[in-house]
Amino acid sequence: MLNHGEPQVGILSEDGAFVVPANKYATVPELMERSSFDELLAITRMGVAAVPLSQVKLLAPIPEPDNDIICLGINYRAHDKELPNEYGEEKLVKRDVPVYFSKRASHCVEPEGIIDGHFDIVKKLDYECELAVIIGRTARNVAPEDVQDYIFGYTIINDVTARDVQIAHKQWYFGKSLDSFAPMGPWIVTAEEIPFPPALDISTHVNGELRQHNNTKNLVHGIPYIISELSHGMTLKCGTIIATGTPDGTGIGMDPPRYLKSGDVVECTIEHIGTLRNTVK
């Protein structure tokens, strides 16, 4: 958050009305490494130097990730069905394993922040609301039944995508990674607050119109599978962000397709977390 113009780590009060500065931690990953849920709860209940939420500006919970965001492609069956033929090789009928890709995010856009449409090179700008999992401690060779112990919490990511760039390059990295294509927030909800595995309503509105609506219980490859598989051979460090995939209702899946334009307001909402709201320019 920004408090009097200074970036600070903050903890939301239980009633959601105040933010308590946690000044002993420079970043959220540092907080995750050095604190416990009970300590965070105690900080909020003491309420020392609490600031009304209305008086601070929320930043992305992890504004500058140490690593690229790990993403899941086509991880809802309904989204699989809506995609056009250009995605034929990635569709579920062709595979029985997840599609993993990475998304560069040198800076994650804050709630209420601006999505740069890069309309000089992008003609087909799309939205993708996703549940993101935040790893809380080093994970290596984790069994599916132990995955929950390695999760710090959950947030929302809008996996903004340049569809024309994505399809043209036959590899998703560039079309997913243009500057400002990783809005994140409004905060991280700790894992203790959400039953595992999460079964949360997920939706997207564009200019107030409902576009996406599904539930995270419908992930093809669930969180225990994803983290366990990745951790066998790949070390997942504290602060690693995993975006679990988007449901149906994307712009490319509509008939005819409906892409974002300058001035559009995109609201990504996940039950028990909140709403990530951004405007396209």
Side-chain angles (χ1 to χ4, degrees):
M1 67 176 183
L2 279 180
N3 184 18
H4 299 295
E6 294 293 327
Q8 290 180 303
V9 176
I11 305 171
L12 192 66
S13 63
E14 291 181 273
D15 62 6
F18 295 88
V19 181
V20 180
N23 292 324
K24 64 186 290 187
Y25 306 111
T27 65
V28 170
E30 182 181 327
L31 177 149
M32 290 189 288
E33 286 187 304
R34 294 175 48 199
S35 67
S36 66
F37 175 74
D38 289 340
E39 180 183 350
L40 299 182
L41 193 61
I43 292 172
T44 62
R45 288 178 174 171
M46 286 189 295
V48 178
V51 182
L53 180 61
S54 60
Q55 293 183 16
V56 303
K57 177 182 179 180
L58 293 177
L59 304 177
I62 304 178
E64 297 179 357
D66 288 337
N67 301 289
D68 287 357
I69 298 169
I70 300 172
C71 300
L72 273 287
I74 316 179
N75 203 27
Y76 288 81
R77 294 192 185 281
H79 181 47
D80 183 74
K81 292 178 181 178
E82 73 177 357
L83 289 174
N85 292 335
E86 288 90 338
Y87 292 82
E89 292 303 314
E90 292 89 9
K91 291 175 78 67
L92 291 170
V93 69
K94 295 278 190 174
R95 61 182 173 86
D96 59 3
V97 296
V99 171
Y100 294 117
F101 63 94
S102 61
K103 182 181 186 80
R104 178 165 294 279
S106 56
H107 178 77
C108 292
V109 174
E110 67 274 9
E112 303 296 336
I114 298 298
I115 298 169
D116 182 349
H118 296 275
F119 292 118
D120 55 334
I121 60 171
V122 176
K123 307 306 177 189
K124 298 178 178 181
L125 185 69
D126 211 348
Y127 50 85
E128 294 191 0
C129 180
E130 306 199 11
L131 174 69
V133 183
I134 313 297
I135 298 297
R137 61 190 181 99
T138 299
R140 187 182 296 112
N141 298 325
V142 179
E145 60 269 22
D146 296 329
V147 160
Q148 185 176 8
D149 296 335
Y150 291 81
I151 297 173
F152 176 80
Y154 307 93
T155 190
I156 305 169
I157 282 180
N158 184 352
D159 180 19
V160 181
T161 305
R163 296 295 186 189
D164 44 348
V165 177
Q166 177 187 20
I167 292 170
H169 283 267
K170 306 300 180 186
Q171 207 282 347
W172 298 2
Y173 190 71
F174 186 34
K176 296 276 191 175
S177 298
L178 302 185
D179 289 347
S180 83
F181 275 21
M184 178 194 297
W187 35 61
I188 297 172
V189 175
T190 54
E192 291 84 355
E193 300 179 61
I194 295 175
F196 187 81
L200 307 173
D201 281 346
I202 177 171
S203 63
T204 301
H205 289 78
V206 177
N207 301 326
E209 176 191 5
L210 180 65
R211 296 282 186 90
Q212 294 185 285
H213 187 213
N214 209 306
N215 191 287
T216 60
K217 67 183 179 183
N218 294 321
L219 291 171
V220 176
H221 298 282
I223 292 169
Y225 180 98
I226 293 166
I227 293 176
S228 178
E229 180 173 68
L230 287 173
S231 74
H232 281 79
M234 177 190 293
T235 300
L236 303 176
K237 294 183 178 181
C238 178
T240 296
I241 304 164
I242 302 174
T244 57
T246 199
D248 54 311
T250 56
I252 196 172
M254 305 184 79
D255 187 16
R258 297 174 64 185
Y259 297 111
L260 297 172
K261 60 185 184 303
S262 182
D264 283 350
V265 177
V266 185
E267 296 173 293
C268 298
T269 301
I270 298 181
E271 181 184 10
H272 296 313
I273 299 178
T275 296
L276 172 64
R277 182 180 185 272
N278 300 97
T279 301
V280 179
K281 77 164 188 179

